[in-house]
Amino acid sequence: VAIREMRAESARGARVRGRCVETGGMLLGEIDDACRCIWIDVATGPPPDSRLSAWHFDHGTDGVQDLVDHYRDRSRQVTAFAGLWHTHPDHAARPSPTDTAGMQQLLAPAGLAAPRAIMIILGGRAQAWSAWLHDGRLPDLYVRLVEHDAASSGRPPTVPAEHSREAWPGGFAIHARGGNGRLIPRPWTARARALIRRRRRKQALR
């Protein structure tokens, strides 16, 4: 299911923002130390306050906690935040210095609550990426369980200036570059919020 969700967001992003623009989101599941297994149940798209460009992907925070709480409650505390995924369209599926530093920045304030997280990067040269977008064939994958490094400063390298000028907001189907223009909520956000509202109404009626 998670792979299908990542592919759907990759294809939608290519149609709406352009093939070269990165996208990504959260991974929700369970890291089980006892059986040395990692289960990924859900892959989301980028929250509305994310910033996406061909140079960089900034994962936002708007609505993230509500979404995590929803899946955690629905799974009886099993499904929780497990990591992040993003794409490198038409490029190698390997982390840049910004990706590596960004993961450490994510883990640094979490302390013992989240000492590690999964990083998944989907990429590949033009032919492999086209097969992923159009045929659903798996692209190149980079998967790593990142441990918090206390010695790391957690400060990412300077993001290219082009990212600030050209970045698209996440979480929306239509917009103008630079964040201006008509904004329409993304389907996954609308569905998730509807589920959360229904759950809260049921709880209030009990």
Side-chain angles (χ1 to χ4, degrees):
V1 174
I3 285 291
R4 289 200 301 269
E5 291 165 343
M6 286 187 275
R7 191 235 166 180
E9 169 56 30
S10 297
R12 191 197 70 85
R15 290 194 307 271
V16 172
R17 307 181 191 102
R19 178 182 172 114
C20 65
V21 177
E22 296 184 8
T23 189
M26 284 192 301
L27 299 168
L28 303 174
E30 180 185 10
I31 301 174
D32 190 327
D33 292 313
C35 70
R36 300 177 65 83
C37 294
I38 297 173
W39 311 94
I40 301 300
D41 303 317
V42 179
T44 74
D49 58 336
S50 301
R51 301 287 287 169
L52 304 84
S53 76
W55 297 271
H56 189 55
F57 170 63
D58 288 323
H59 191 285
T61 60
D62 187 22
V64 163
Q65 192 58 55
D66 283 344
L67 197 62
V68 171
D69 290 344
H70 165 71
Y71 282 105
R72 187 166 51 206
D73 292 346
R74 194 176 73 168
S75 64
R76 297 184 179 179
Q77 312 304 309
V78 173
T79 299
F81 174 80
L84 297 173
W85 72 276
H86 73 281
T87 63
H88 285 178
D90 296 328
H91 288 83
R94 61 171 178 260
S96 67
T98 303
D99 296 332
T100 302
M103 286 299 291
Q104 286 301 322
Q105 195 173 39
L106 170 72
L107 295 172
L112 295 176
R116 64 205 170 195
I118 303 157
M119 175 167 60
I120 294 181
I121 300 173
L122 299 93
R125 299 301 177 185
Q127 185 174 1
W129 194 248
S130 293
W132 165 244
L133 294 179
H134 304 303
D135 304 324
R137 282 185 280 173
L138 277 178
D140 296 342
L141 287 172
Y142 175 92
V143 182
R144 181 185 172 194
L145 181 62
V146 179
E147 301 281 346
H148 173 48
D149 179 6
S152 172
S153 66
R155 296 181 60 187
T158 302
V159 176
E162 292 88 348
H163 174 71
S164 298
R165 292 197 301 265
E166 298 291 329
W168 296 68
F172 296 96
I174 299 174
H175 87 107
R177 283 184 186 269
N180 299 315
R182 187 182 176 199
L183 302 178
I184 299 178
R186 275 175 44 83
W188 80 266
T189 306
R191 287 198 302 271
R193 288 178 175 168
L195 286 170
I196 292 168
R197 285 195 297 269
R198 284 200 294 271
R199 176 171 57 83
R200 287 174 175 170
R201 282 198 296 268
K202 288 179 181 179
Q203 290 174 342
L205 293 172
R206 289 175 183 171

